[in-house]
Amino acid sequence: MIRFERVSKWLSGKFVLDNVDFEIRKGETFVIVGPSGVGKSVSLKHMVRLLTPDDGHVIVDGESISDASGDELARIRKRFGYLFQGGALLAWLSVAENVALPLREKTALTNDEILAKVHETLKLVGLENDGAKRPGEISGGMRKRAGLARAIITNPEIVLYDEPTSGLDPVTARTIDQLIESLRVKLGVTSVVVTHDLHSALTIGMRIAMLHGGHIVELCDPDKFVKSSRPEVRQFLEAQFITREGSWERNIT
Amino acid sequence: MITREPENFPPPVGMFGALGRSAVFGCRETGRAMMLFVEAVLNLRSVLTRRARREVINQMFVYGIKSLGVITVVAVFTGMILALQTGIELRKFNQEVNIGAAVMVSMLREMGPFMTGLILAACVGSAMAAQLGTMVVSEEIAALEIMSINPVRFLVMPRLAAMSIMTPLLSFYTCMMGVLGGGLVGMTQLGVSWEAYMRNATRFADMKDLYVGIFKAFLFGMIITTVSCHEGFATKEGAVGVGMATRRAVVASFLLILVVGYFITRMFYYS
Ligand SMILES: Nc1ncnc2c1ncn2[C@@H]1O[C@H](COP(=O)(O)OP(=O)(O)OP(=O)(O)O)[C@@H](O)[C@H]1O
Ligand SMILES: [Mg+2]
């Protein structure tokens, strides 16, 4: 579905991505983990051409988004939903209007249809009572969930999540995990999730990639990932008290 | 695309290298600002939709009506200063009554649009650049682009429409307030009656003065919007970047208002 072909990107004095090659399959939940500042957000931005590779290509469903021109780019982007790390809500609109924005601007739905859809989506992320508030009046975690609602309201085929559960309490974090999983099961959405939260990575991820020093140092399914012998992976796992011996259950409902 | 990718250039070599680079970048940014203006104008056709119209009216309120207070004060005092300065000189020839024409003509031709332009550049231009700059930094512009909502149509077009309506109106208002201020000084300081003042003011002022002033204000409104939106979009590097973008927007608007103002005057009054 999304393929990185020998992608390199030079940013602030180093190769953030250095000849990176991997493919995200249709309908899977692909998780990218890695320490802070390693280029996880940068990788996501390449998938929607907010950044263009210095070298190599990013291929979305057979088309190179890195070489796409205006109209083509808009058409490819239409297939994506993007949850930004900070939510990226428009400050002067209410939460509900922010979530409604893609429908209002890009579809011919009536006002009633839009309101119904917005209510339904806000409910999915647990914000049905906060629609009237401004982004400045809600917490960071709520902003993130509102951003999530905006990303999925157009029923995109591919959703990119930049740290969907960071800054959320564990209970809400698990509901978000379940939401991501249910989008995959019910609608066949392809998800790319960037996260620090190993719990969530191991639960929803069908494959996990670890980014380190501009390279993918590990790419495998969760079971193999926990048992990986790569020092970077071990360090990352042990920092969150996950050991090779301990069992890991996928506990999504 | 409005969102900009970070660029990597090797550091310039020596003083001439640095100068050359800033010249090239300056030209490039000027070109980009002009393209932004053209694109905003091309998008003006979508002002006909109800949502866009509401946004334009909202912007007119935010940027126009909310500047009324400071504009009133500046306008009245500009008129008062003009009346007092010319009055002091004219008194030597017992011609105080001519302050009417002096205030009216200079307000209509120059001071009205000029003062309005400067105030709007300071109040409105800075606010626009800061707002759009913050939106760049918090990835809101990027989010709009991913949703295929054109930031130029969504953000710049309503501002451009609102400012090209509001600036001429405010400029006319500034002129009127200036004339009022001049009249007050005439009555209280120079012993010119209100009737004599107004008769003198309306006798010497030309319709052309009004038109040219309004045209100037219209141009100033578009300059402020284009420059400020462009600087806002060009923001990089976080909160510091927003501050720098705001400063650049105000400075560039001021300079352009002065220079363009001179050339408009020259075009219409000197040939
Ligand atoms: N717009 C930019 N301009 C310059 N450098 C950038 C830019 N965006 C990212 N970088 C650089 O790329 C590197 C990776 O950034 P990125 O945002 O992808 O980190 P991350 O893995 O998402 O970290 P975090 O978990 O903290 O979000 C950083 O070292 C950063 O300095
Ligand atoms: Mg990040």
Side-chain angles (χ1 to χ4, degrees):
Chain A
M1 194 75 177
I2 305 173
R3 196 165 71 242
F4 275 53
E5 283 181 352
R6 306 169 59 75
V7 171
S8 296
K9 185 72 179 175
W10 175 272
L11 281 173
S12 35
K14 63 173 191 284
F15 276 109
V16 174
L17 298 179
D18 188 2
N19 244 332
V20 170
D21 256 311
F22 64 91
E23 176 157 19
I24 295 162
R25 299 178 194 136
K26 196 174 173 65
E28 80 172 337
T29 301
F30 188 90
V31 176
I32 303 175
V33 297
S36 189
V38 80
K40 304 186 295 296
S41 301
V42 167
S43 318
L44 279 194
K45 284 180 184 162
H46 275 86
M47 298 179 194
V48 284
R49 181 75 180 280
L50 284 175
L51 291 171
T52 312
D54 293 336
D55 219 345
H57 301 273
V58 178
I59 314 285
V60 177
D61 219 2
E63 289 179 285
S64 169
I65 192 169
S66 318
D67 305 315
S69 61
D71 289 345
E72 271 173 82
L73 183 61
R75 187 168 44 74
I76 302 177
R77 277 179 174 171
K78 212 164 266 168
R79 307 171 66 175
F80 282 91
Y82 196 121
L83 166 63
F84 282 88
Q85 199 164 353
L89 304 172
L90 305 183
W92 67 93
L93 294 178
S94 71
V95 167
E97 278 309 310
N98 263 294
V99 176
L101 191 66
L103 297 181
R104 288 215 194 282
E105 292 288 327
K106 287 286 148 192
T107 65
L109 298 179
T110 65
N111 193 37
D112 290 339
E113 287 167 327
I114 291 178
L115 290 182
K117 180 88 178 146
V118 167
H119 184 77
E120 180 196 333
T121 314
L122 281 177
K123 202 162 173 176
L124 279 180
V125 297
L127 286 177
E128 66 271 28
N129 298 322
D130 302 290
K133 295 187 182 138
R134 302 274 163 128
E137 302 169 334
I138 58 178
S139 71
M142 289 158 89
R143 275 201 284 280
K144 186 149 275 178
R145 283 184 281 152
L148 177 57
R150 185 180 66 184
I152 61 176
I153 196 163
T154 49
N155 299 330
E157 289 170 62
I158 311 164
V159 187
L160 313 181
Y161 303 88
D162 202 338
E163 307 200 2
T165 55
S166 72
L168 298 186
D169 64 278
V171 179
T172 318
R174 298 295 80 82
T175 22
I176 298 298
D177 286 348
Q178 277 166 12
L179 175 66
I180 296 173
E181 182 72 3
S182 75
L183 286 176
R184 179 181 73 81
V185 175
K186 286 191 205 137
L187 304 172
V189 171
T190 309
S191 305
V192 185
V193 184
V194 161
T195 187
H196 292 294
D197 180 353
L198 258 181
H199 186 292
S200 138
L202 296 170
T203 318
I204 58 174
M206 295 164 75
R207 286 192 304 151
I208 302 180
M210 170 132 188
L211 207 53
H212 199 280
H215 303 281
I216 302 270
V217 293
E218 186 69 280
L219 202 177
C220 55
D221 61 38
D223 297 326
K224 292 214 188 72
F225 191 80
V226 203
K227 298 195 176 66
S228 165
S229 53
R230 296 284 309 207
E232 299 92 348
V233 179
R234 288 257 56 88
Q235 199 184 5
F236 192 73
L237 290 170
E238 273 146 28
Q240 298 193 35
F241 307 112
I242 293 171
T243 55
R244 206 179 305 213
E245 294 73 32
S247 67
W248 183 261
E249 294 278 310
R250 277 169 75 89
N251 55 354
I252 207 112
T253 46
Chain B
M1 268 192 298
I2 293 298
T3 45
R4 297 185 171 190
E5 296 194 23
E7 295 168 316
N8 303 303
F9 292 107
V13 183
M15 193 180 74
F16 289 106
L19 271 176
R21 181 165 295 176
S22 43
V24 170
F25 280 8
C27 292
R28 189 177 68 168
E29 292 307 308
T30 312
R32 280 182 171 166
M34 286 176 177
M35 275 162 58
L36 180 69
F37 174 73
V38 171
E39 198 182 342
V41 170
L42 291 180
N43 273 295
L44 274 175
R45 64 174 185 277
S46 57
V47 84
L48 295 172
T49 64
R50 204 162 53 87
R51 274 173 71 71
R53 230 177 15 235
R54 222 177 25 211
E55 178 66 8
V56 171
I57 291 169
N58 178 33
Q59 297 295 339
M60 283 168 66
F61 177 75
V62 170
Y63 291 132
I65 307 300
K66 290 202 171 161
S67 316
L68 264 185
V70 56
I71 282 189
T72 309
V73 175
V74 171
V76 169
F77 274 90
T78 307
M80 286 165 65
I81 291 168
L82 279 174
L84 198 58
Q85 280 289 9
T86 46
I88 291 167
E89 289 305 310
L90 288 173
R91 174 177 267 170
K92 292 178 188 158
F93 314 102
N94 277 328
Q95 293 283 325
E96 290 100 321
V97 71
N98 281 324
I99 57 166
V103 172
M104 182 69 118
V105 171
S106 49
M107 282 311 283
L108 283 183
R109 284 189 183 182
E110 298 293 340
M111 295 312 272
F114 182 67
M115 285 293 165
T116 315
L118 291 195
I119 294 167
L120 290 185
C123 305
V124 174
S126 61
M128 273 184 198
Q131 190 191 5
L132 297 193
T134 311
M135 289 182 72
V136 169
V137 171
S138 60
E139 298 183 315
E140 290 165 47
I141 304 288
L144 286 177
E145 289 206 313
I146 292 192
M147 295 188 277
S148 300
I149 298 173
N150 181 355
V152 178
R153 179 185 57 74
F154 189 70
L155 298 166
V156 183
M157 184 277 287
R159 284 168 174 73
L160 191 71
M163 284 289 278
S164 48
I165 299 169
M166 265 341 250
T167 321
L169 289 180
L170 286 174
S171 166
F172 182 71
Y173 173 80
T174 307
C175 296
M176 294 306 101
M177 287 294 122
V179 171
L180 180 79
L184 288 178
V185 167
M187 280 195 298
T188 55
Q189 313 285 312
L190 300 165
V192 181
S193 76
W194 178 254
E195 292 75 27
Y197 173 82
M198 281 313 287
R199 220 178 310 120
N200 186 275
T202 43
R203 197 171 53 159
F204 286 100
D206 214 345
M207 270 323 238
K208 182 184 171 193
D209 297 331
L210 179 67
Y211 293 150
V212 174
I214 296 286
F215 175 63
K216 249 188 208 172
F218 175 74
L219 284 187
F220 291 169
M222 294 202 286
I223 287 173
I224 293 167
T225 316
T226 309
V227 168
S228 307
C229 290
H230 168 74
E231 290 296 349
F233 282 151
T235 302
K236 47 188 177 218
E237 289 164 19
V240 184
V242 175
M244 293 198 308
T246 310
R247 193 191 63 186
R248 277 202 308 269
V250 174
V251 171
S253 303
F254 268 42
L255 295 181
L256 277 172
I257 285 172
L258 274 167
V259 174
V260 171
Y262 168 80
F263 281 105
I264 300 293
T265 304
R266 210 200 118 111
M267 200 165 89
F268 282 96
Y269 291 104
Y270 180 89
S271 46

